[in-house]
Amino acid sequence: MNFLHLASRQFTRRELTAAPRTSSQWQRSQRLNAARAPAIQVIRRNFAEVRHPPSDAPKPKPKASTALRRAASASLPIRSNPTPTRSDIQPVFTYATAERYIMPNLRRTLPKGSVLLHDAWWVPKWTDSQTGKDGEVFLFANGSFVCWGLGEEEATRFAQEVLLNSAAEVAPLKEPETEDLEFVTDPEENTRLQGDLIVLGRTPPLSSEDTMPMELPPSVLPRETVLARYAFSQALSRSTALSGLEASLEDYLHSVASLPQSLQRTGKPGLGRRALVMKLGELLRFRQGLNLNRENFSDTPDFYWSEPVLEAYFNSLSNALEIRSRTRSVNDKITYAAEMQSVLRELLTETSAHRMELIIIALIAVEVVICLIRDGPELWEMVVGKEEQKPIEETEKTYSV
């Protein structure tokens, strides 16, 4: 920049000392200087922008690369083409706070009008005390609940107001796990999952009349799609509960990650027998929660066997969230950790067996020493006395001859 100013000053001096110019030359010179000045300002502004980027600009939170995120473009036709019968896009927010809930304990803290709908507590209407938003909530036994029409702030307040004093949470998570989605209502469309957007509209008739309860309290969303929302909610709750299990398993694997290095460096497992057995019990608890509990992640709930329409809703969202592949991945990690701990347990068993052998040898040696101390003189007399009696007996035989 100093070089540019210096060149400008030199150019001005040359103009003053040069011969007088005509008016047309003077006008061209003025236009040239006017054209140069903005160029210098633009260069300076661009340079400042490069050297001083905004430091407080919010960075977008990266989203998980799931099939649901990859297929998000499929929802663009609905998002970009609103219709008179279509509602605004609203949030579906899933919140997991524990490994499981004791469902009967939730009854006394739930709002009035809450009912038990198949495997979940259904809150048909919950109004946030701060924002005034209305929404509905499904609470499942796997330690998660799904909010329709409510965002993260409202879901957090719902957890504080309803779950905190219910004594229903078993093994609370270190950090809550969340999953967010969006939905629209349109009575002219079929209920389906399109990309990352749930469309609530026309629903085919159910196979059994008993599936839909006859008396349901009024809800903030259409009554006709309550079971469709239930099916989508159950798939979302499984995904979020599985995320909590994945996070806990990652913490567990991190806690035992140094054992192979310790074994390589020192030749010792690095954990005592009791600590290793406790780690193995924690690992078995992970596998039990993944495969053996009533609300496992592999099987389709029995409720959907007689309702193929609702099963299609449940499976569409479960496949989009890749629940089965994630379950297999968690099982593989658990299998690897179990094999590693089995090897370490065998090493501890061999070490204990070797130690027992040394103790037995030492006890035998001590017993031998005690026997020598206690019976040594007598044994010595027996040995030495026999040796002295032999010459006497030989002498007597000689005299007798």
Side-chain angles (χ1 to χ4, degrees):
M1 297 304 297
N2 294 333
F3 174 74
L4 293 175
H5 289 299
L6 179 61
S8 177
R9 289 197 296 271
Q10 291 176 355
F11 180 78
T12 305
R13 291 194 189 98
R14 283 198 298 269
E15 286 184 340
L16 293 175
T17 57
R21 297 182 180 181
T22 63
S23 61
S24 61
Q25 291 177 344
W26 183 81
Q27 291 176 355
R28 286 197 300 271
S29 176
Q30 290 296 105
R31 286 196 299 267
L32 180 62
N33 291 336
R36 286 179 177 176
I40 295 174
Q41 293 177 0
V42 170
I43 293 174
R44 183 181 302 167
R45 185 165 55 249
N46 293 339
F47 183 69
E49 288 176 359
V50 173
R51 291 190 59 183
H52 303 285
S55 58
D56 55 348
K59 297 182 180 179
K61 181 180 179 181
K63 294 183 178 180
S65 178
T66 62
L68 185 64
R69 302 300 182 191
R70 292 192 294 268
S73 59
S75 64
L76 291 179
I78 298 180
R79 295 177 183 273
S80 57
N81 299 312
T83 63
T85 59
R86 188 176 299 155
S87 69
D88 296 334
I89 296 177
Q90 302 180 62
V92 182
F93 198 82
T94 313
Y95 205 88
T97 62
E99 290 187 3
R100 63 185 180 91
Y101 293 151
I102 302 176
M103 299 297 280
N105 292 359
L106 292 172
R107 183 187 297 273
R108 61 183 182 86
T109 57
L110 287 174
K112 293 182 179 180
S114 303
V115 296
L116 191 62
L117 184 65
H118 299 292
D119 292 334
W121 277 108
W122 177 43
V123 183
K125 184 178 180 180
W126 186 78
T127 304
D128 184 69
S129 58
Q130 296 187 15
T131 62
K133 289 183 178 180
D134 292 334
E136 70 173 12
V137 184
F138 292 91
L139 295 97
F140 294 89
N142 57 18
S144 63
F145 61 91
V146 183
C147 302
W148 292 77
L150 303 173
E152 183 175 3
E153 295 181 1
E154 292 81 13
T156 303
R157 281 190 285 272
F158 178 85
Q160 293 173 351
E161 295 178 12
V162 176
L163 297 176
L164 192 60
N165 299 321
S166 64
E169 294 178 305
V170 177
L173 301 178
K174 294 180 180 179
E175 295 183 2
E177 293 292 330
T178 62
E179 181 79 29
D180 61 296
L181 208 59
E182 292 175 327
F183 78 98
V184 294
T185 60
D186 191 346
E188 300 298 327
E189 297 279 349
N190 293 325
T191 300
R192 67 190 184 277
L193 173 69
Q194 184 163 339
D196 61 345
L197 185 68
I198 297 175
V199 181
L200 298 176
R202 295 189 300 263
T203 303
L206 300 176
S207 301
S208 175
E209 296 180 355
D210 297 334
T211 304
M212 174 72 78
M214 297 299 295
E215 296 182 0
L216 287 176
S219 174
V220 296
L221 295 174
R223 181 182 186 276
E224 294 76 14
T225 58
V226 61
L227 291 181
R229 299 194 300 271
Y230 170 84
F232 288 128
S233 298
Q234 193 163 23
L236 278 169
S237 70
R238 279 196 174 187
S239 176
T240 312
L242 182 59
S243 298
L245 188 62
E246 290 171 337
S248 300
L249 182 60
E250 288 297 327
D251 293 339
Y252 171 83
L253 293 177
H254 180 71
S255 67
V256 298
S258 61
L259 296 183
Q261 288 82 358
S262 176
L263 189 63
Q264 181 183 8
R265 290 195 312 267
T266 64
K268 298 179 179 179
L271 278 179
R273 188 178 186 84
R274 179 181 176 82
L276 192 60
V277 171
M278 292 175 64
K279 287 290 184 181
L280 184 59
E282 187 177 358
L283 193 64
L284 293 176
R285 185 172 61 85
F286 283 139
R287 176 155 285 178
Q288 179 183 3
L290 187 67
N291 300 297
L292 300 180
N293 285 344
R294 182 175 182 270
E295 186 69 22
N296 59 58
F297 301 94
S298 302
D299 301 331
T300 301
D302 299 346
F303 168 68
Y304 301 111
W305 289 3
S306 60
E307 295 295 342
V309 174
L310 300 179
E311 184 180 7
Y313 299 151
F314 174 81
N315 288 334
S316 64
L317 191 50
S318 296
N319 295 335
L321 295 170
E322 300 178 337
I323 293 180
R324 286 185 173 84
S325 61
R326 290 162 58 193
T327 302
R328 287 194 297 269
S329 176
V330 172
N331 268 322
D332 292 341
K333 291 180 181 180
I334 293 176
T335 300
Y336 162 74
E339 291 176 353
M340 180 183 69
Q341 292 202 5
S342 177
V343 172
L344 297 177
R345 191 172 66 253
E346 291 178 359
L347 289 176
L348 284 177
T349 302
E350 292 179 359
T351 303
S352 300
H354 180 65
R355 188 180 296 113
M356 289 298 297
E357 292 176 357
L358 293 179
I359 292 174
I360 292 173
I361 293 173
L363 289 176
I364 294 174
V366 169
E367 187 175 0
V368 170
V369 171
I370 292 175
C371 289
L372 290 176
I373 294 174
R374 184 186 61 191
D375 302 330
E378 184 177 353
L379 293 174
W380 177 260
E381 289 294 335
M382 291 175 60
V383 173
V384 174
K386 290 181 178 180
E387 291 180 354
E388 290 180 353
Q389 287 179 359
K390 287 181 181 180
I392 296 174
E393 293 177 353
E394 292 178 355
T395 305
E396 292 179 351
K397 289 181 181 180
T398 305
Y399 287 132
S400 63
V401 172

